Every structure is written in structure tokens, then in C-alpha cells.
Amino acid sequence: MAYDSDNIFAKILRSEIPAGTVFENDHVLAFRDIAPKAPVHLLIIPKGAYTDFADFSARASDAEIVAFNRAVGEIATRHKLDETGYRLIANIREDGCQEVPHYHVHLLGGENLGSPFKN
Ligand code: 5GP
């Protein structure tokens, strides 16, 4: 899948639309989800143009991958989520119901989220 530079997260990265930024470094941006599903619901994205996890894991540099994973952990710690736990979700393409075609991880926490595997 070709990267669509008009996707909403690309526009956030270019500061064309506002986002509630909570973290930024050379490789990573994190901001609040516009429709939160938990008391804390953040979106963590690489600054590079990657469509999804598969694209990121295949094409990103080692430095980008390390920076991304370290940022996820650091953001969770900064929001005190490491004390009681949290959930990471990466939706990928059609079957994963990915809506925004720029790789992102959802970080959810702030309450007991229940099991995603029970109705
Ligand atoms: P996906 O289904 O692609 O994994 O999730 C995309 C997420 O982006 C959704 O949870 C949705 O609420 C969020 N989102 C969509 N548009 C915007 C926006 O303009 N700003 C922010 N902060 N989040 C958005």
C-alpha cells in the first residue's frame, strides 16, 4: 500500500491541524486520541512515512524502531500507567480495521480495561 501523505496523522505531523501533543522527539510524536476509549488514550506515531506495523517493521531504520519502542515505554511511565498496567493496540489494514493509514499504536489505560477476548 502506497503512503497517502494527505492522511490525518501526516497533517498533524506537518502541524496543519492541531493535536494534543504529549510527547515528541526526533523520531516519534504522541498525542491524545480525539475519541478516547479510556481515561488515557494516546496515539503514538513514528515521524517517518510508514503505513502500518508491517511497513514500519520492514523499512524503518534500527534507530527509528528503537526510538519508537522506547518512547512507548517512556510515555506509559510518564502517565504513571506502568504502575497498574495498560494496553497497546496496533490495528493493521482491512482485517485489523485500521482507519488512519499512518502507523500508530494506541496506548490505553487509567482504569481496568477488561479482557479484549471476552464478550
Ligand atoms: P485506527 O482505527 O486507525 O487504529 O485508529 C485511528 C484513531 O485515530 C481513532 O481512534 C480515532 O479516534 C483517531 N483520530 C481520527 N482522527 C483524529 C484526529 O483528527 N485527531 C486525533 N487526535 N485523533 C484522531
Side-chain angles (χ1 to χ4, degrees), residues 83-104:
E83 294 172 8
T84 51
Y86 54 95
R87 180 170 293 150
L88 302 176
I89 298 172
N91 298 320
I92 296 146
R93 301 186 201 160
E94 293 88 351
D95 283 1
C97 297
Q98 180 180 3
E99 292 176 7
V100 180
H102 181 112
Y103 176 47
H104 54 281

Side-chain angles (χ1 to χ4, degrees), residues 63-86:
E64 288 175 294
I65 291 170
V66 169
F68 189 82
N69 280 285
R70 290 216 193 285
V72 172
E74 186 176 336
I75 293 162
T77 300
R78 283 189 189 187
H79 287 79
K80 303 192 185 309
L81 299 178
D82 56 323
E83 294 172 8
T84 51
Y86 54 95

Side-chain angles (χ1 to χ4, degrees), residues 8-9 12 17 31-35 41 43 91 97-100 104 106:
I8 202 83
F9 294 171
I12 286 173
I17 60 171
F31 48 91
R32 292 184 185 81
D33 195 292
I34 202 168
H41 185 172
L43 297 167
N91 298 320
C97 297
Q98 180 180 3
E99 292 176 7
V100 180
H104 54 281
H106 296 254

